[in-house]
Amino acid sequence: MKEQIEQIKVTSIEEVKNAKDLRELSDLKVKYLGKKGELTSVLRGMKDLRPEERPVIGELVNKVRDELNELFESIEKELQEAELARKLEEEKIDVTLPSNKAKRGSKHPLNRVIEEIEDLFVSMGYDVVDGPELETDEYCFERLNLPKGHPARDMQDSFYITPEHLLRTQTSAVQARVMMANEEKSPIRVIVPGKTYRREDDATHSHQFNQVEGLVIDKGITLAHLKGTLEVFMRKLLGDNTQLRFRPSYFPFTEPSYEVDVSCFKCGGKGCNLCKQTGWIELLGAGMVHPNVLKMNGYDPEKYSGFAFGTGLDRLAMFKYGITDMRYLYRNDVRFLTQFDQMDREGK
Ligand code: DAH
């Protein structure tokens, strides 16, 4: 048995010293020192020895094990250092090499227009608010004076999810939400940019588009406030010479209601192909908040009045940047999108 142990010692030392890497070393550890390793199995044979031999052999095994453990430790350290050195060499980075330039994205024209509008209205004391795109029939229509079966609903053919839920067809839905959420029924001054949906699909309409809504409620709000506000809004966006024209129209949630045209910014009102020779371009719906809407959403129409307006952001972006097809806005073609950075840089 003694010879057997000596033999194990000699071969194991030899093998451990020749281990090429940490993995091989750990295999060897299992082979010699593991639970089923060679030294351990020698210990198991001790029961067949004469009693006086047992302590001698036991001591020998322990000695060899200690020696081996020490050897494993030092070889492991050596191998670790070698590995680290190899890695450092292999993964050396030349910091002086030119980098792969990351291409900077550019802001989408719709977001540009939204940000410009937000900046303007925030500077006039408005809050920018949001509402759910999956809306209830109640907020999208009923609380805006459009009860079920109202003929004006036909203009907004919708994606219904359940009989009571739909993808909102207009950001006007948020008007009712803001009024209802205002517990003190205090004055309101908000704009609501956001996505809207209708069942439409042709060159100038998309099933998804963007609107921005405006709502002001306070004591003594008049049509003059609405006109002044829209003038500032349109001139900021489309140029100082922009003229506005209010045409009587109908929306269930405003009374009186208007469609608002702006003088054609391409020809200045003389008539061209953009404005179809009329000199005007229709851009907004607007009006004085209907007393029913105020009442239904908790505001006393005897005390308060308000104005509201809504406009399509896609059309606005198209006019502002001279984009001819609305679908470009949703294609995410980088060649299209990067042009607007350039326009900004040139101060257009
Ligand atoms: N929500 C209307 C639409 O999508 C636009 C509109 C008209 C909004 C008049 C208003 C408003 O706030 O007063 O056709």
Side-chain angles (χ1 to χ4, degrees), residues 243-255:
Q243 298 297 314
L244 268 65
R245 180 172 79 171
F246 282 64
R247 277 183 294 113
S249 182
Y250 172 76
F251 296 103
F253 33 92
T254 43
E255 180 59 34

Side-chain angles (χ1 to χ4, degrees), residues 195-234:
K195 288 196 195 85
T196 44
Y197 304 82
R198 287 183 201 177
R199 267 184 55 185
E200 286 177 304
D201 184 22
D202 61 51
T204 51
H205 294 93
S206 144
H207 65 280
Q208 179 205 303
F209 53 105
N210 286 269
Q211 290 189 329
V212 62
E213 192 81 13
L215 174 70
V216 170
I217 295 178
D218 207 338
K219 289 179 179 137
I221 295 292
T222 70
L223 194 53
H225 295 114
L226 171 62
K227 286 184 119 175
T229 306
L230 291 185
E231 245 170 46
V232 171
F233 180 13
M234 289 296 121

